Amino acid sequence: MSEPADSLRQSSTEQHPARDEPVAPANPLSVHINADARQVWLMLREPRLVRQWHGWDSDTLDAEIRSIYFAPSVIEGPDHTFVTVDGGDTFQIEPVRDGCVVTIERVEAEADEVTEGWITFLQQLRFALERHPSNTRRTAFFSGTPADGGSIIEKLNAEQLQQPGDSYSLSLPNGHELTGTVWFRTENQLGLTVAEYADHGEGLVIVADQPSLDGPGSSLAVISTYGLGAHALRSAWDTWDSFRKEHYPSSDPLETSRVD
Protein backbone atom coordinates (compact mmCIF):
# COMPACT_ATOMS: atom_id res chain seq x y z
CA MET A 1 0.00 0.00 0.00
CA SER A 2 1.29 3.47 -0.82
CA GLU A 3 2.17 6.07 1.78
CA PRO A 4 -0.74 7.90 3.48
CA ALA A 5 0.01 11.18 1.72
CA ASP A 6 -0.48 9.49 -1.65
CA SER A 7 -3.25 7.06 -0.77
CA LEU A 8 -5.76 9.48 0.74
CA ARG A 9 -6.88 12.76 -0.75
CA GLN A 10 -9.63 14.45 1.26
CA SER A 11 -11.25 17.20 -0.78
CA SER A 12 -12.74 18.97 2.24
CA THR A 13 -9.58 19.46 4.31
CA GLU A 14 -9.92 23.24 4.31
CA GLN A 15 -13.43 23.16 5.66
CA HIS A 16 -12.77 20.36 8.15
CA PRO A 17 -9.18 20.17 9.45
CA ALA A 18 -8.07 16.76 10.73
CA ARG A 19 -9.58 16.06 14.12
CA ASP A 20 -8.23 13.96 16.98
CA GLU A 21 -11.59 12.33 17.66
CA PRO A 22 -14.28 10.99 15.29
CA VAL A 23 -17.37 13.12 14.78
CA ALA A 24 -19.92 10.71 16.23
CA PRO A 25 -23.67 11.15 16.53
CA ALA A 26 -25.07 11.62 20.03
CA ASN A 27 -26.69 8.18 19.81
CA PRO A 28 -25.21 5.91 17.12
CA LEU A 29 -28.22 3.60 17.50
CA SER A 30 -30.56 6.33 16.23
CA VAL A 31 -30.63 7.56 12.62
CA HIS A 32 -32.75 9.86 10.53
CA ILE A 33 -33.90 8.15 7.32
CA ASN A 34 -35.31 9.96 4.33
CA ALA A 35 -38.19 7.51 3.88
CA ASP A 36 -41.73 7.29 5.19
CA ALA A 37 -42.86 5.03 8.02
CA ARG A 38 -44.49 2.49 5.70
CA GLN A 39 -41.25 2.03 3.73
CA VAL A 40 -39.28 1.54 6.93
CA TRP A 41 -41.81 -0.95 8.27
CA LEU A 42 -41.70 -3.03 5.09
CA MET A 43 -37.89 -3.10 5.23
CA LEU A 44 -38.17 -4.52 8.76
CA ARG A 45 -41.02 -6.98 8.15
CA GLU A 46 -40.45 -8.45 4.66
CA PRO A 47 -37.74 -11.17 4.72
CA ARG A 48 -36.59 -10.44 1.16
CA LEU A 49 -36.16 -6.77 2.08
CA VAL A 50 -34.40 -7.47 5.38
CA ARG A 51 -31.88 -9.33 3.22
CA GLN A 52 -30.95 -6.03 1.57
CA TRP A 53 -29.54 -4.49 4.75
CA HIS A 54 -29.07 -7.01 7.55
CA GLY A 55 -25.60 -8.53 7.73
CA TRP A 56 -24.04 -9.73 4.49
CA ASP A 57 -24.63 -12.57 2.03
CA SER A 58 -23.81 -15.99 3.47
CA ASP A 59 -25.18 -19.50 3.52
CA THR A 60 -26.72 -18.80 6.94
CA LEU A 61 -28.20 -15.34 6.28
CA ASP A 62 -31.79 -16.47 5.66
CA ALA A 63 -31.82 -18.61 8.79
CA GLU A 64 -30.36 -15.75 10.82
CA ILE A 65 -33.02 -13.35 9.56
CA ARG A 66 -35.79 -15.80 10.46
CA SER A 67 -34.39 -16.35 13.95
CA ILE A 68 -34.01 -12.64 14.74
CA TYR A 69 -36.96 -10.94 13.00
CA PHE A 70 -39.57 -13.67 12.56
CA ALA A 71 -39.26 -15.93 15.60
CA PRO A 72 -42.38 -16.57 17.75
CA SER A 73 -40.97 -14.21 20.40
CA VAL A 74 -41.00 -11.20 18.04
CA ILE A 75 -43.51 -8.48 18.98
CA GLU A 76 -44.98 -6.14 16.36
CA GLY A 77 -46.43 -2.83 17.51
CA PRO A 78 -50.12 -2.68 16.53
CA ASP A 79 -49.59 0.77 15.01
CA HIS A 80 -46.38 -0.28 13.22
CA THR A 81 -44.26 2.09 15.32
CA PHE A 82 -42.05 -0.59 16.85
CA VAL A 83 -40.91 -4.17 16.52
CA THR A 84 -39.14 -6.08 19.28
CA VAL A 85 -36.91 -8.76 17.79
CA ASP A 86 -35.79 -12.03 19.31
CA GLY A 87 -33.55 -11.26 22.27
CA GLY A 88 -35.50 -8.18 23.32
CA ASP A 89 -33.94 -5.33 21.31
CA THR A 90 -36.54 -2.97 19.85
CA PHE A 91 -36.68 -0.93 16.63
CA GLN A 92 -38.64 2.27 17.29
CA ILE A 93 -40.01 4.14 14.25
CA GLU A 94 -40.83 7.81 14.77
CA PRO A 95 -42.33 9.64 11.77
CA VAL A 96 -41.03 13.18 11.34
CA ARG A 97 -41.73 15.85 8.73
CA ASP A 98 -38.85 14.83 6.43
CA GLY A 99 -38.85 11.06 6.97
CA CYS A 100 -38.42 8.88 10.04
CA VAL A 101 -36.13 8.54 13.00
CA VAL A 102 -35.32 4.87 13.63
CA THR A 103 -33.85 4.00 17.01
CA ILE A 104 -32.74 0.64 18.35
CA GLU A 105 -33.32 0.28 22.08
CA ARG A 106 -31.05 -2.38 23.53
CA VAL A 107 -32.35 -4.67 26.22
CA GLU A 108 -28.79 -4.60 27.60
CA ALA A 109 -27.42 -1.08 27.58
CA GLU A 110 -23.68 -1.73 27.71
CA ALA A 111 -21.54 -1.31 24.62
CA ASP A 112 -20.52 -4.66 23.14
CA GLU A 113 -20.16 -6.51 19.84
CA VAL A 114 -23.94 -6.75 19.48
CA THR A 115 -24.28 -2.97 19.81
CA GLU A 116 -21.54 -2.46 17.22
CA GLY A 117 -23.33 -4.89 14.91
CA TRP A 118 -26.60 -2.99 15.25
CA ILE A 119 -24.79 0.26 14.40
CA THR A 120 -23.52 -1.32 11.17
CA PHE A 121 -26.89 -2.80 10.22
CA LEU A 122 -28.82 0.38 11.05
CA GLN A 123 -26.57 2.35 8.69
CA GLN A 124 -27.03 -0.33 6.01
CA LEU A 125 -30.80 0.00 6.50
CA ARG A 126 -30.58 3.76 6.01
CA PHE A 127 -28.42 3.34 2.92
CA ALA A 128 -30.73 0.74 1.38
CA LEU A 129 -33.81 2.92 1.89
CA GLU A 130 -32.25 6.18 0.74
CA ARG A 131 -30.03 4.98 -2.10
CA HIS A 132 -31.20 1.54 -3.33
CA PRO A 133 -34.75 0.80 -2.12
CA SER A 134 -35.51 -1.46 -5.10
CA ASN A 135 -32.08 -2.90 -5.87
CA THR A 136 -30.41 -6.14 -4.89
CA ARG A 137 -27.06 -5.86 -3.16
CA ARG A 138 -24.07 -8.14 -3.52
CA THR A 139 -21.65 -8.17 -0.64
CA ALA A 140 -18.21 -9.17 0.52
CA PHE A 141 -17.19 -9.60 4.15
CA PHE A 142 -14.21 -10.51 6.26
CA SER A 143 -13.36 -10.38 9.94
CA GLY A 144 -10.08 -11.05 11.69
CA THR A 145 -7.39 -10.06 14.15
CA PRO A 146 -4.72 -7.80 12.62
CA ALA A 147 -1.26 -9.28 12.41
CA ASP A 148 0.40 -6.18 13.88
CA GLY A 149 -2.46 -4.65 15.88
CA GLY A 150 -4.00 -1.31 15.07
CA SER A 151 -7.23 -0.08 13.58
CA ILE A 152 -8.60 -1.13 10.21
CA ILE A 153 -9.39 2.54 9.59
CA GLU A 154 -5.71 3.36 10.04
CA LYS A 155 -4.70 0.49 7.74
CA LEU A 156 -6.83 2.08 5.03
CA ASN A 157 -5.12 5.42 5.74
CA ALA A 158 -8.59 6.82 6.32
CA GLU A 159 -8.31 8.12 9.89
CA GLN A 160 -8.55 11.71 8.60
CA LEU A 161 -12.10 11.06 7.38
CA GLN A 162 -14.33 12.29 10.16
CA GLN A 163 -17.23 14.43 8.95
CA PRO A 164 -20.27 12.83 7.26
CA GLY A 165 -20.64 14.34 3.81
CA ASP A 166 -16.92 14.96 3.28
CA SER A 167 -15.68 13.69 -0.08
CA TYR A 168 -12.61 11.47 -0.38
CA SER A 169 -10.39 9.54 -2.76
CA LEU A 170 -8.71 6.39 -1.47
CA SER A 171 -6.22 3.97 -3.02
CA LEU A 172 -6.32 0.27 -2.13
CA PRO A 173 -3.99 -2.57 -3.21
CA ASN A 174 -3.61 -3.29 -6.93
CA GLY A 175 -4.23 0.37 -7.73
CA HIS A 176 -7.95 0.04 -6.88
CA GLU A 177 -9.40 3.54 -6.44
CA LEU A 178 -12.41 4.38 -4.29
CA THR A 179 -14.21 7.73 -4.40
CA GLY A 180 -17.31 8.98 -2.66
CA THR A 181 -18.33 10.61 0.61
CA VAL A 182 -18.29 9.77 4.31
CA TRP A 183 -21.63 8.12 5.14
CA PHE A 184 -21.14 7.98 8.91
CA ARG A 185 -18.43 7.94 11.57
CA THR A 186 -18.47 6.60 15.12
CA GLU A 187 -15.76 5.82 17.62
CA ASN A 188 -15.11 2.38 16.11
CA GLN A 189 -16.68 2.49 12.64
CA LEU A 190 -16.40 4.32 9.33
CA GLY A 191 -18.91 4.14 6.50
CA LEU A 192 -18.02 5.32 2.99
CA THR A 193 -20.18 5.60 -0.10
CA VAL A 194 -18.29 4.29 -3.14
CA ALA A 195 -19.04 5.49 -6.67
CA GLU A 196 -17.21 2.51 -8.19
CA TYR A 197 -19.45 -0.04 -6.44
CA ALA A 198 -22.75 0.60 -8.27
CA ASP A 199 -23.83 0.85 -11.88
CA HIS A 200 -26.14 3.71 -10.84
CA GLY A 201 -25.56 5.72 -7.68
CA GLU A 202 -23.06 4.39 -5.15
CA GLY A 203 -22.21 1.34 -3.09
CA LEU A 204 -21.25 1.26 0.58
CA VAL A 205 -18.19 0.13 2.54
CA ILE A 206 -18.28 -0.15 6.33
CA VAL A 207 -15.11 -0.94 8.27
CA ALA A 208 -15.18 -1.46 12.01
CA ASP A 209 -12.94 -2.25 14.94
CA GLN A 210 -14.24 -4.49 17.71
CA PRO A 211 -12.23 -3.89 20.88
CA SER A 212 -12.12 -6.77 23.33
CA LEU A 213 -11.55 -6.87 27.10
CA ASP A 214 -10.45 -10.51 26.90
CA GLY A 215 -7.63 -10.25 24.36
CA PRO A 216 -6.70 -8.73 21.02
CA GLY A 217 -9.54 -6.94 19.31
CA SER A 218 -10.74 -7.80 15.82
CA SER A 219 -11.78 -5.81 12.76
CA LEU A 220 -14.26 -6.34 9.96
CA ALA A 221 -15.30 -4.97 6.60
CA VAL A 222 -18.68 -5.16 4.84
CA ILE A 223 -18.71 -4.15 1.17
CA SER A 224 -22.14 -3.64 -0.47
CA THR A 225 -22.36 -3.33 -4.27
CA TYR A 226 -25.26 -2.81 -6.66
CA GLY A 227 -25.64 -3.79 -10.31
CA LEU A 228 -21.98 -4.57 -11.03
CA GLY A 229 -21.09 -7.16 -13.65
CA ALA A 230 -19.09 -10.27 -12.87
CA HIS A 231 -15.75 -8.78 -13.97
CA ALA A 232 -16.15 -5.65 -11.83
CA LEU A 233 -17.26 -7.72 -8.84
CA ARG A 234 -14.30 -10.08 -9.08
CA SER A 235 -11.95 -7.11 -9.36
CA ALA A 236 -13.41 -5.57 -6.20
CA TRP A 237 -13.35 -8.89 -4.32
CA ASP A 238 -9.71 -9.52 -5.35
CA THR A 239 -8.70 -6.11 -4.06
CA TRP A 240 -10.29 -6.61 -0.67
CA ASP A 241 -8.91 -10.14 -0.45
CA SER A 242 -5.41 -8.74 -1.07
CA PHE A 243 -5.99 -6.23 1.73
CA ARG A 244 -7.24 -9.02 4.01
CA LYS A 245 -4.26 -11.28 3.31
CA GLU A 246 -1.79 -8.46 3.93
CA HIS A 247 -3.20 -7.23 7.23
CA TYR A 248 -5.31 -10.16 8.53
CA PRO A 249 -3.44 -13.28 7.32
CA SER A 250 -5.06 -15.59 9.90
CA SER A 251 -8.62 -14.58 8.98
CA ASP A 252 -11.06 -16.76 7.10
CA PRO A 253 -11.30 -16.22 3.32
CA LEU A 254 -13.39 -13.37 2.00
CA GLU A 255 -17.09 -14.30 2.12
CA THR A 256 -18.90 -13.04 -0.97
CA SER A 257 -22.18 -13.19 -2.83
CA ARG A 258 -22.33 -15.76 -5.59
CA VAL A 259 -21.24 -14.45 -8.97
CA ASP A 260 -22.80 -16.05 -12.04
Side-chain angles (χ1 to χ4, degrees):
M1 184 179 292
S2 56
E3 292 299 316
D6 296 327
S7 62
L8 179 64
R9 301 184 296 279
Q10 186 179 2
S11 66
S12 52
T13 301
E14 293 183 2
Q15 294 91 338
H16 302 288
R19 301 174 175 88
D20 292 330
E21 296 294 333
V23 178
N27 177 9
L29 287 176
S30 185
V31 298
H32 176 273
I33 300 177
N34 186 19
D36 64 34
R38 180 178 179 277
Q39 290 174 298
V40 174
W41 183 258
L42 290 174
M43 272 289 195
L44 292 172
R45 304 312 301 143
E46 292 283 347
R48 65 180 180 82
L49 297 179
V50 177
R51 255 191 148 270
Q52 301 311 312
W53 60 268
H54 177 88
W56 47 86
D57 275 348
S58 70
D59 292 338
T60 61
L61 179 59
D62 290 332
E64 181 176 310
I65 288 171
R66 287 193 300 270
S67 69
I68 295 174
Y69 300 95
F70 302 99
S73 59
V74 171
I75 301 171
E76 292 186 350
D79 51 0
H80 291 184
T81 58
F82 76 88
V83 57
T84 300
V85 300
D86 187 66
D89 294 342
T90 298
F91 285 76
Q92 296 280 359
I93 305 170
E94 178 188 358
V96 293
R97 185 171 60 180
D98 54 349
C100 287
V101 174
V102 179
T103 302
I104 298 177
E105 296 180 353
R106 296 267 355 253
V107 68
E108 308 235 353
E110 70 270 11
D112 58 12
E113 290 186 3
V114 175
T115 297
E116 292 294 326
W118 279 136
I119 292 170
T120 298
F121 301 162
L122 192 57
Q123 291 292 342
Q124 291 181 167
L125 170 65
R126 179 168 76 99
F127 189 80
L129 277 163
E130 292 189 355
R131 300 296 182 89
H132 294 280
S134 302
N135 301 123
T136 299
R137 66 172 180 162
R138 286 180 169 175
T139 65
F141 166 82
F142 77 84
S143 175
T145 302
D148 56 356
S151 163
I152 190 171
I153 298 170
E154 293 174 354
K155 295 182 189 309
L156 288 170
N157 298 318
E159 63 271 22
Q160 297 179 53
L161 296 177
Q162 302 287 345
Q163 184 70 28
D166 279 356
S167 57
Y168 75 92
S169 179
L170 183 67
S171 293
L172 292 180
N174 306 329
H176 194 70
E177 293 284 335
L178 305 182
T179 58
T181 60
V182 177
W183 183 248
F184 77 99
R185 184 76 157 93
T186 68
E187 181 180 0
N188 297 316
Q189 300 193 34
L190 173 65
L192 301 172
T193 70
V194 183
E196 293 78 8
Y197 287 173
D199 60 347
H200 299 289
E202 298 174 306
L204 181 68
V205 168
I206 296 178
V207 291
D209 295 310
Q210 296 181 312
S212 173
L213 298 176
D214 303 324
S218 62
S219 301
L220 62 82
V222 186
I223 301 98
S224 297
T225 71
Y226 300 85
L228 296 186
H231 177 75
L233 277 173
R234 290 192 178 96
S235 176
W237 296 169
D238 288 347
T239 295
W240 283 100
D241 207 34
S242 295
F243 177 83
R244 177 193 66 82
K245 290 175 180 176
E246 178 181 354
H247 296 289
Y248 303 87
S250 64
S251 65
D252 290 335
L254 198 70
E255 191 168 14
T256 69
S257 302
R258 292 184 176 88
V259 180
D260 298 332

